[in-house]
Every structure is written in C-alpha cells, then in structure tokens.
Amino acid sequence: MLRRLVLLLFIIIGASLGIFLIPEVVKVFSLNVHLLVLNSYVDGIIGIIVFLLLFFWLIDKVVALIEAGEGLLLKRNFMEIIFATLGMMMGLMIASMISLIFDTIGFPLLKNTIPIALAVILGYLGFQVGLKKREEIQSLLPERFQGSRRKVTDAAKLLDTSAIIDGRILKIVQCGFIDGTIVVPQGVLDELQLIADSTDGLKRDKGQRGLDILQELKETGHPVKFHPGHKEIKEVDQLLVKMAAESNAGVITTDYNLNKVCQVQGIKVLNVNDLSEAIKPVVQQGDRFKLLITKAGKEEGQGVGYLEDGTMVVVEHGKNLINQEKLVEVQSILQTSSGRIIFTKKVADK
C-alpha cells in the first residue's frame, strides 16, 4: 500500500513538472513543436514518463525511508509527538516571519531561495527542540498543569547515584532482569556531574565512571528517561523517596540508609547488594571445588584464594601452594558483617 502511495506521489510530481516546465522550455529555446505538445494533458503524460524513467529506482528507497520514520514515531509516546509537532510549527512560523523581511528586500535569490532553506532548517530544529526538550517546556508551565508530568509509570524504576557508580546495574539490565522504564531524576544527574567535577581524584573517577555507565545503559536499548523531578528538593534521597511515593515506582540503590528509609515508607527497593548476595553460589560444608591460591593468610601456614564473587577462601597449610590451582574441601563457613569467609583444606585430586 505504501509503495503504491509513493508511486502515486511520483506520478503527481512528474505530471506537475511536465505541465509547468515543458511550455517554459519551448518558450526559452524558441522550439517549433506540434501544437499537441503544448496541450497540458500531453505535457503531464510526458512529464510522468520522463520523471519515472529518471527516478523510478528511488521509489523503494523512499518507501524504506518512510517506514524507518514511521518506526521512530511509533517508539515515541503521544505527548512527545505533540510537542515535536508544535516545535516544528513554531520553527515554520519563525521562518515565515524572516521570509517577509527578505521579501521586502526584493533580491530574487533572497526572495525565492532563502525562505525555502529557512523553512527546512527551522522546521527541523523546532521539531528536535519540541521532542527533546518536552520535559523542560512542561516545567515552565504553572504547577497545577504539571501533575501528570511529574508522575512516572507504575513499572518505572528510579535509579540512585550509588547504583549508577556501582556499575552492576548495567549487567543486570543487559541480562533482562529489570522491567519497565529506568528513570534518572535530574537531581541524580546533577549529583553525578558534581562528583565527576570534584577536585578529589577518587571521587572524580567515580563520577566519570557513573556517567559512562549511564551512556552504556542508553546504548543497551532498554528504555532510559531523564526526569526533572521536583526542582525545589535539593537532597537526592528525599527527591527519590518523594517521586517513588507519588508514582508507585521502585528505587534501585546500593545505599543502606536510603534502603531503610524506603522500607519504612513502604516503597519498593531493588538493592543491588541484596541481589548480589542472593545469587552467590551456595557452598556447604563438605563441598569440593578447585581454587587458585593467590596469597598467604594471616595465620601461619594459611593460603588464601577467592571465589568469582569475591568471597575469601582460606586454605589450611596452603602457604606453599601460592599461584597453584588445587582441589579443596570446605570445612566451615564464617559469616561476618563484611561478608563470608570459607575455611578449607587441600585434598588430593582424583
């Protein structure tokens, strides 16, 4: 159907060019032609034939371009399309007003060419501004008109600064464990920028890592949106709690205190540390596994290695086995506030 519409458009363009250009060409070059050629219907048919012969190969490319544009539009919500259209209309209005100035000058190039270029450029810029600055435009509206703007969808997850810097959220999203839109409040983005601009080298590296993680999150294809939130709230944790309470959204964080505050207020919390703890491989007394012993332990004769998740494994009489991979058997597990420590002994390989 779309290909037929494009073909019809090409026919109309060809007929229009034939009707308007052929008489002009005959007139300019003083050609002696049959009166039949000066007939509008004949000119239109000639224009269609010539235009299709020259540009028929473009039909499939135009169809593909329209389908690509349709796909991009369907990915946008209705409000984004409305604001983009309004922005384009504003750009065209500005172009029209500037064109009136050139029209009064009277110079043919300025009068006939510049208005077309202005319409294209300003129309495009207006479309982009309306599309990408929708949240900022809405923030300029009176407070009573911003209720729907401030709320995010029920399936949304608000992303905290600590979870961004931590970085594990990227792998979690890539594995498909997060559903719904990930929302980054402007306050979180501002805090991240402040950390990235810190004079402290360690903080600066963390901030820059966080910004890189955000960029990679956007590149995963998972819906990620930046939200203005409440400009009057400067404290990030307070902002996240208020936004989550308003919209029934969850909060993704690694911050212990924010986790507790959200739990007290009945807000769903997705703690990356809790998730990491939950999916740790279960090791029980008597289990055997191979371990690379990397260093000496604190006690005499002990060797130390680590599981893939970072859990410390102490090997009895393993000091002389450093940089060797040996089969060990779990003797006991000690749970501490900083994590688990697994005590093992070397066993003979079978």
Side-chain angles (χ1 to χ4, degrees):
M1 181 62 181
L2 179 58
R3 195 174 190 280
R4 292 178 182 176
L5 288 175
V6 173
L7 179 58
L8 178 60
L9 178 63
F10 273 47
I11 290 173
I12 293 173
I13 294 173
S16 301
L17 290 175
I19 292 171
F20 288 104
L21 290 181
I22 291 178
E24 291 295 325
V25 171
V26 171
K27 182 180 178 180
V28 169
F29 293 98
S30 302
L31 299 176
N32 293 320
V33 296
H34 196 278
L35 290 176
L36 187 63
V37 178
L38 299 179
N39 184 285
S40 297
Y41 295 104
V42 175
D43 292 344
I45 293 172
I46 295 173
I48 292 171
I49 294 172
V50 173
F51 191 81
L52 289 179
L53 286 175
L54 292 175
F55 300 107
F56 186 82
W57 60 276
L58 272 177
I59 290 180
D60 289 334
K61 295 185 181 295
V62 173
V63 170
L65 186 63
I66 294 174
E67 288 178 341
E70 179 185 4
L72 291 175
L73 283 177
L74 291 177
K75 290 180 181 178
R76 301 289 183 174
N77 62 51
F78 186 63
M79 287 301 297
E80 287 177 329
I81 295 174
I82 289 178
F83 273 87
T85 304
L86 290 175
M88 183 174 63
M89 292 173 63
M90 289 293 295
L92 292 175
M93 289 174 59
I94 295 172
S96 298
M97 289 186 287
I98 297 175
S99 298
L100 291 175
I101 299 174
F102 289 123
D103 191 48
T104 58
I105 296 175
F107 187 66
L109 178 62
L110 296 178
K111 184 177 179 180
N112 299 320
T113 307
I114 299 298
I116 298 175
L118 284 174
V120 173
I121 295 172
L122 293 180
Y124 171 78
L125 291 177
F127 182 89
Q128 291 295 328
V129 169
L131 182 65
K132 297 180 178 179
K133 299 294 184 179
R134 176 175 66 91
E135 298 288 357
E136 294 183 24
I137 295 172
Q138 282 185 281
S139 67
L140 299 176
L141 298 175
E143 190 74 22
R144 62 178 178 274
F145 295 117
Q146 297 183 18
S148 60
R149 175 185 68 86
R150 290 194 183 277
K151 294 188 178 181
V152 292
T153 60
D154 290 343
K157 307 295 186 295
L158 299 171
L159 194 55
D160 179 33
T161 312
S162 62
I164 298 173
I165 294 175
D166 177 83
R168 287 175 289 179
I169 184 63
L170 178 61
K171 292 294 184 182
I172 295 172
V173 170
Q174 289 174 338
C175 293
F177 283 98
I178 298 292
D179 62 338
T181 303
I182 293 179
V183 179
V184 182
Q186 185 61 43
V188 170
L189 196 59
D190 292 342
E191 184 178 52
L192 202 57
Q193 182 65 51
L194 188 64
I195 296 173
D197 292 337
S198 172
T199 55
D200 186 294
L202 184 60
K203 285 186 176 181
R204 185 170 59 250
D205 290 343
K206 287 183 176 180
Q208 291 171 352
R209 167 181 164 79
L211 293 174
D212 291 339
I213 293 294
L214 273 184
Q215 182 60 38
E216 292 183 50
L217 270 177
K218 292 180 66 178
E219 293 173 357
T220 61
H222 191 93
V224 178
K225 290 188 176 181
F226 297 95
H227 199 281
H230 298 269
K231 293 183 178 180
E232 68 278 7
I233 300 177
K234 303 300 182 183
E235 213 281 319
V236 173
D237 287 1
Q238 186 181 353
L239 172 64
L240 289 167
V241 170
K242 185 172 181 63
M243 289 180 64
E246 285 181 344
S247 57
N248 194 30
V251 176
I252 301 176
T253 185
T254 61
D255 188 291
Y256 178 81
N257 293 324
L258 177 59
N259 183 63
K260 288 297 182 183
V261 171
C262 289
Q263 288 179 354
V264 168
Q265 299 198 24
I267 295 170
K268 183 179 179 181
V269 184
L270 301 174
N271 192 317
V272 177
N273 289 331
D274 291 342
L275 176 61
S276 178
E277 184 68 30
I279 62 176
K280 280 184 178 179
V282 178
V283 179
Q284 299 178 346
Q285 188 173 0
D287 288 350
R288 294 184 176 186
F289 55 89
K290 286 193 173 182
L291 177 74
L292 176 64
I293 302 171
T294 57
K295 65 179 184 179
K298 290 184 178 180
E299 302 296 331
E300 184 178 354
Q302 287 182 342
V304 174
Y306 295 89
L307 298 180
E308 290 183 357
D309 63 355
T311 301
M312 178 185 290
V313 181
V314 178
V315 183
E316 183 181 349
H317 305 304
K319 185 175 182 179
N320 297 327
L321 305 174
I322 293 175
N323 294 328
Q324 299 181 41
E325 189 176 58
K326 296 295 180 180
L327 183 66
V328 296
E329 180 180 302
V330 178
Q331 291 182 301
S332 62
I333 301 173
L334 176 63
Q335 182 70 47
T336 69
S337 58
S338 59
R340 293 184 301 171
I341 301 177
I342 301 174
F343 293 91
T344 64
K345 65 178 181 180
K346 176 185 173 298
V347 296
D349 293 339
K350 293 183 179 179

